[in-house]
Amino acid sequence: MISQLFVLSQRGDNIVFRDYSRDVHKASAETFFRKVKFWNDDGEEDAPPVFNVDGVNYFHVKVAGLLFVATNRVNVSPSLVLELLQRIARLIKDYLGVLNEDSLRKNFVLVYELLDEVIDFGYAQTTSTELLKSYIFNEPIMIDSAVMPPLGAASIFVKGNKRMPGTVITKSVVANEPGGRKREEIFVDVIEKISVTFNSSGYILTSEIDGTIQMKSYLTGNPEIRLALNEDLSIGRSDYASSTAVILDDCNFHESVHLDSFDTDRTLSLVPPDGEFPVMNYRMTQPFKPPFRINALLEETGPLKAEVIIKVCADFNPSINANTVLVQMPVPKFTNRVNFELDHESVGNTTDFKEANKRLEWSIKKVVGGAELTLRAKLTFSQELLGNIMKEAGPVSMTFDIPMYHASRLQVKYLQIAKKSKAHNPYRWVRYVTQANSYVARL
Amino acid sequence: MAPPPAHPQRSPSPSQPSGKSEVTDLRSQLRQLAGSRAPGADDAKRDLFKKVISNMTIGIDVSSLFGEMVMCSATSDIVLKKMCYLYVGNYAKVNPDLALLTINFLQRDCKDDDPMIRGLALRSLCSLRVANLVEYLVGPLGSGLKDNNSYVRTVAVIGVVKLYHISASTCLDADFPATLKHLMLNDPDTQVVANCLSALQEIWTLESTSSEEAAKERETLVSKPVIYYLLNRIKEFSEWAQCLVLELVAKYIPSDNSEIFDIMNLLEDRLQHANGAVVLATSKVFLHLTLSMADVHQQVYERIKAPLLTQVSAGSPEQSYAVLSHLHLLVMRAPYIFSSDYKHFYCQYNEPSYVKKLKLEMLTAVANESNTYDIVTELCEYAANVDIPIARESIRAVGKIALQQYDVNAIVDRLLQFLEMEKDYVTCEALTNTKLESSSMQVLVKDLLRKYPQWSQDCIAVVGNISSKNVQEPKAKAALIWMLGEYSQDMPDAPYVLESLVENWDEEHSAEVRLHLLTAVMKCFFKRAPETQKALGAALAAGLADFHQDVHDRALFYYRLLQYKVSVAESVVNPPKQAVSVFADSQSSEIKDRIFDEFNSLSVIYQKPSYMFTDKEHRGTLEFSDELANLSINAEAGDSAVPAQRVEANDNDLLLSITEKEEGRDAASNGSAYSAPSYDGASATSAASQSLADLAFSSTSGSGQAPASSFAIDDLLGLDFSVGAAATPSPPPLSLNPKAVLDPGTFQQKWRQLPLSLSEDFSLSPQGVAALATSNALLRHMQSHSIHCIASGGQSPNFKFFFFAQKAESASIYLVELLINSSSAKSQIKIKADDQSTSQAFSTLFQSALSKFGTA
């Protein structure tokens, strides 16, 4: 099924390379990297995840700046191979705590150990973090992970008076804590990626939420867990639910999830396997309140001049902050100078004109709920514009992370751990984060 | 503990290149440690081993350390063992003698008390891949298969496949397949079962070409008891094994409908699996099981739609792309089922262009009366996109939707807006579209210019305003010139614009533009002769003097036509418009069905059936024999040709009820499945915008690929240069046995075994192509030359034949695969022969026989 599997660094170095059936030439990694790097002449288009060069199929996924690649010569299910590559990346992360080039280089022997068990002669064997534990003997060499929190700033949460450090989730499933005894805890993250397109008058053209309930368990003894969601949750659009109900278009579940009582009380029960895994993926096209409203205005102010005004309103509770907000807008290609003017000289606000791809960038470190921010930019052109200026610029796009915010209103009502002893109470973390997937306002 | 073998006395020479110094270093350090039992030696060894493996990973050849590595491996440290196994597995093949050294400790480890050590050792033992060591494998494998630990059994099962690839006979002699079959049906561990299934599929598929028994065994894998046994346990399998089982179930043919519904009910919840590969494999089962039930099949589309859309939006961009490609295939087959989901196919600004391209095609396909306005509005947003290739595609998509005839006015309006956008690439696409637009409009509405005067006036006004100097891109320029010729009666200054273009003939670098200019001047001349005469004269003179062969030829042709009779010239150059409803589909329906049959495979991503991208030896015999089975087999090939039966594509007519539109589109090629490939039928469909004469020439102007463009004229006159080519070399004295006999089984076997000795491409004479229409004519014709057909099939325009011939008074057999494309008149032969030295002579004979086809 798979002939070779290798992991390349961003520069194309082999970090691990495993040949299973030897029907693909040894230089395949080089061929692959050259092909991906120079997919087309101008280097603007990305190589597709699957392509064929001289009868060899190359499959790849990009994770944490690394390229996980498989090759073969036979016709197989592409999604099987891509899922497998993705799963291998996740397994490695489970074992190393942090997945990046550095950790991989330090632990390549452990990675070989994993690869040997996950794939035998090209056939997928087990990918269960838990089952594999008994076959892995190398101790992971931890790297300093404090600098790379997994969910950006969202990884620091305050819940009650317990403060949870962002590094907790980057611990390996096999490494022992410095204190000796393992900390009993379980993390449930509700991650929602939202896509919204506004037309020029601010009306929502399309909107969608792609959500995942991600779980990472460090509980010993494999206790059963019950996860309760909103009671008024309905799936499929045919239901006539009340206007406050959360209506999902569709969802799917991890194979460990039992749905016996899901239809009656919207609870999921499962015995969580070790490592990180998605409990449930869901998709929603029901209208929802977008966290940001964007108004963008572009006006010609002279023969070689125009002005852009972008107004961003944070339409959420003041107790919540949005982080790492970035607003971008392409401007006409003859633009050669831009003067920015910000309303509030707030800290962490930077503006930039990217000359090479003719784009305005406005990055804001933190936006407090209810805030209204305005950017004015005066554009100067090197040539007179011939056509309609509106067709030469835009749209405005935005990326952000909002911790503790769930656009869909889907909630984890409670997280119950069936445990024999009452004295023992593991830590339970339920976190929400909403991220922009494609957040676009047209001019 | 095995005593360490004597040190090979190889002292590093002082003149060694510096790159090797590290390896030398490692060697001496390894030697020092080899016998050491000191505490901490294992840690030191670990570090050294890591260095060796890290060198191995980056491609430095460390095979020279083999002896030292083996010496150091006498250890109980499992981490060391594993690294050593990894090393040995990598280099044993290049060091077969040294590999023997490892057998000893591996065999011993295979009997270790710890099942993990047993498993690891067995896996490494089987991975040595050294042919002369196979005798050492049989024993440990046999006991591994019977091991009471499931880990060892899973390793042993894969070990059997490894052994099969090193030495098939050893594997079969030990009767391992039978053991695997027993394990598959009885083992409590599902991973063992899954590995047995993979192993048996691989072994029996490879064996089935030479052994009937293996072919039968392979059949039993898709028999009811096995399928039911696996299905009943499906939830115990790992997700990867589930994919394997589902793939097998998709091949199963249930005996009745209730069985189909049982299977579907059982698998229903697999569609909710988080793993996209499981969902796609389940979808394949559903789609294939219901092929014969049109209404249920349609419900399956509805059922799998939501899960697939969820898969597209969940997961990584790569996984999402794999699922989207499959959704694309389904949308193309049954667009109307997805017409209300069009918003899912809107492009996001940050998506990679390969995703956007798929989505644009899907948007085009699902457009209907109710959503066209939304879709076109959305597409127009992309047209202003900074991503130029996508902007182009978007405008093209608008044009395609316009051709589907919904809300034409609005779309024309949009296209005209593009023309005003002053972006060169936008103008180009829009012009090309407008051109297609107007030609199609003329078809739809008998006389567009009378019926929609306001539209044509607008259009012409806009086009007239585009100064030809502003348009630089050759395609755009060509389109503009085409419009000048086509609507010269409505554009007052058309002749003068054309005249000035002709004056600048030498500055026009694109041959395509010059060709269009010639035709446009001709058309203009027929409508406004007095004003154009001068330009025409100049154009023809310039054309005749042109260095480009096609331009020269076209000018000459026009000149002779005009000399002969102006009215005839007009009927050729400017005939009443041909019917153009939609773009001719680039892919035949046969190919599309093939891709659908191969659902959940790379074929869907590449949009090609697997035989187009896998080499024969890697295709797996399964697919090869399917290919032969798809063609009809003439069992009595030795006798007079038995009418080859037309092969029905599996679900050819299945979706007819669903996709009427598609059907209409394919009618030209589809209707004539095997027996009636009309010679000019293919060109009629693709006559998109060009007049008939243009087309006749454009086929010649494709002579970039033709061997020599100087043949172009002869070709036009119906002379076939392949005749000339075949006649020049004197035919070598090769004669064939007219009564040769070969049964299909032997043919298949030989075809697999023999290497390809010759492959050639050549063109077929038009008469030959025309004669293909009569079924079996070619078979009879070739038989008269002692070349017998064993199988044939295909649908217009692609035909495929397998022939064989036997050398007279010899047992030497020639096998031929002949592919003919009747629309391009191209063909390809692949010859395999017992006696390779005569295959060239045979090829000549074959081609000369073929070139006479249709002339008799």
Side-chain angles (χ1 to χ4, degrees), chain A residues 363-376:
Chain A
S363 76
I364 313 155
K365 257 202 182 130
K366 189 166 122 182
V367 180
V368 184
E372 242 187 65
L373 302 164
T374 311
L375 174 80
R376 284 166 195 275

Side-chain angles (χ1 to χ4, degrees), chain A residues 192-195 398-401 434-439, chain B residues 350:
Chain A
E192 298 195 333
K193 294 191 172 162
I194 57 176
S195 302
M398 206 174 162
T399 57
F400 50 80
D401 277 357
T434 291
Q435 297 170 326
N437 183 21
S438 159
Y439 207 83
Chain B
N350 49 0

Side-chain angles (χ1 to χ4, degrees), chain B residues 470-488:
Chain B
N470 284 356
V471 182
Q472 287 309 325
E473 209 163 324
K475 273 212 157 41
K477 209 162 181 179
L480 181 66
I481 291 171
W482 180 87
M483 292 184 98
L484 285 170
E486 197 64 29
Y487 300 107
S488 44

Side-chain angles (χ1 to χ4, degrees), chain B residues 609-679:
Chain B
S610 58
Y611 69 80
M612 288 180 162
F613 62 87
T614 44
D615 338 327
K616 202 140 248 171
E617 62 266 34
H618 293 292
R619 202 174 296 159
T621 13
L622 189 67
E623 287 163 65
F624 174 69
S625 52
D626 283 350
E627 194 185 329
L628 264 191
N630 273 347
L631 307 171
S632 59
I633 302 274
N634 284 343
E636 300 156 285
D639 297 338
S640 69
V642 174
Q645 279 147 14
R646 178 179 139 186
V647 184
E648 293 280 359
N650 283 347
D651 57 337
N652 222 4
D653 37 18
L654 166 79
L655 280 170
L656 297 194
S657 51
I658 305 179
T659 56
E660 287 159 350
K661 193 154 48 118
E662 177 125 6
E663 172 55 12
R665 191 181 308 178
D666 288 344
S669 55
N670 198 12
S672 56
Y674 179 80
S675 46
S678 58
Y679 177 41

Side-chain angles (χ1 to χ4, degrees), chain A residues 255-268:
Chain A
E255 55 183 354
S256 66
V257 177
H258 292 285
L259 297 168
D260 306 336
S261 58
F262 186 71
D263 284 339
T264 53
D265 60 1
R266 298 298 181 213
T267 55
L268 308 170

Side-chain angles (χ1 to χ4, degrees), chain B residues 451-495:
Chain B
K451 204 158 182 183
Y452 289 126
Q454 74 283 16
W455 176 77
S456 61
Q457 288 311 321
D458 283 356
C459 178
I460 287 157
V462 174
V463 172
N465 286 340
I466 302 171
S467 137
S468 56
K469 289 207 175 74
N470 284 356
V471 182
Q472 287 309 325
E473 209 163 324
K475 273 212 157 41
K477 209 162 181 179
L480 181 66
I481 291 171
W482 180 87
M483 292 184 98
L484 285 170
E486 197 64 29
Y487 300 107
S488 44
Q489 71 275 29
D490 299 300
M491 283 191 258
D493 52 356

Side-chain angles (χ1 to χ4, degrees), chain B residues 705-761:
Chain B
Q705 303 112 315
S709 50
S710 58
F711 280 115
I713 291 179
D714 301 59
D715 201 23
L716 241 188
L717 301 174
L719 292 174
D720 184 15
F721 50 82
S722 71
V723 176
T728 23
S730 60
L734 175 73
S735 56
L736 300 173
N737 175 6
K739 298 233 176 293
V741 183
L742 192 69
D743 69 275
T746 324
F747 183 92
Q748 278 192 43
Q749 194 185 339
K750 269 188 175 300
W751 185 261
R752 261 200 64 73
Q753 285 165 350
L754 290 172
L756 184 67
S757 69
L758 197 72
S759 171
E760 276 186 76
D761 294 314

